Amino acid sequence: MSSRSLLERWEHRTEWPLACVAVVFLAASSVEVLAHPGGLISGVLEVMLSAVWAAFAIDYLIRLTLAHQRTQWFVRHMLDFVIIVVPVLRPLRLLRVVVVVAALQKAFGDAMRGRVVLYTAASAGLLVYAASLAVLEAERSDPSARIKNFGDAVWWSITTITTVGYGDFYPVTTVGRLVAVLLMIGGISLIGMVTATVATWIVRRVAEEDKTKQAATAAQIDELRSQITQLTTLLADNKTPPV
């Protein structure tokens, strides 16, 4: 069995487990960022987040090992490597929750593509929420930060993903700005995916209509040929032989 097929099998089998892990990751991160628990709860949350982060790292290493062209795969997944390896980028781990969207898209396939509005709203909402948590975690400890609560973070995320950018709230830390860059890229990618989905659906419908018309035309041609054959036979039978 080729390394490429092994990688595809691994990714297929880990879609839903990683999606579940990402949901747990988002829930634990939400409690940690928004509630600021202390004592035992804080320790438990840290253990959970570390375990989930380790799961993502193990998945990355396995996929890299199974990749057919490891160098090319490594370059294409450089962001995953940076988020996992570099400790200073730890808040960016929240953005790994987009694996939920990827898993749902692969699981539901055409059914998901047929509901473009629902898919877009769910994806955008997930990106906004994850980015809001990430930028709030990165910004609020900085004395010069303008984003100091979750409401401001959500407003900033919405204006950023829609490329409006009012400028009333903006990140001042390096990690916060990296979150902004990733959020803008995610928004543009989401728009591109929706556009491609709609275009694919239109092309498919046009192709189906063309096939239907071609089938109808072929049936009409066959019917005409049959009628011509019948008329030719009838004329040949009724033809009077020369004297």
Side-chain angles (χ1 to χ4, degrees), residues 21 70 77 100-101 106 122 160 168 173 179-180 194 204 219 240:
V21 168
R70 292 189 179 90
H77 296 80
V100 175
V101 178
K106 292 179 180 178
T160 301
D168 49 353
T173 63
V179 173
V194 172
R204 185 180 301 174
T240 305

Side-chain angles (χ1 to χ4, degrees), residues 104-118:
L104 290 175
Q105 184 186 25
K106 292 179 180 178
F108 289 102
D110 293 336
M112 212 42 192
R113 295 187 186 95
R115 302 177 180 178
V116 178
V117 175
L118 178 61

Side-chain angles (χ1 to χ4, degrees), residues 26 91 94-95 97 124-138 147 150 153-154 156-158 160-161 176 179-180 182-184:
L26 180 62
L94 291 170
L95 300 181
V97 79
L126 185 60
L127 284 174
V128 166
Y129 183 72
S132 299
L133 290 177
V135 76
L136 179 60
E137 184 181 10
I147 302 174
F150 187 64
V154 171
W156 169 82
S157 297
I158 292 174
T160 301
I161 197 173
V179 173
L182 292 176
L183 180 59
M184 287 183 281

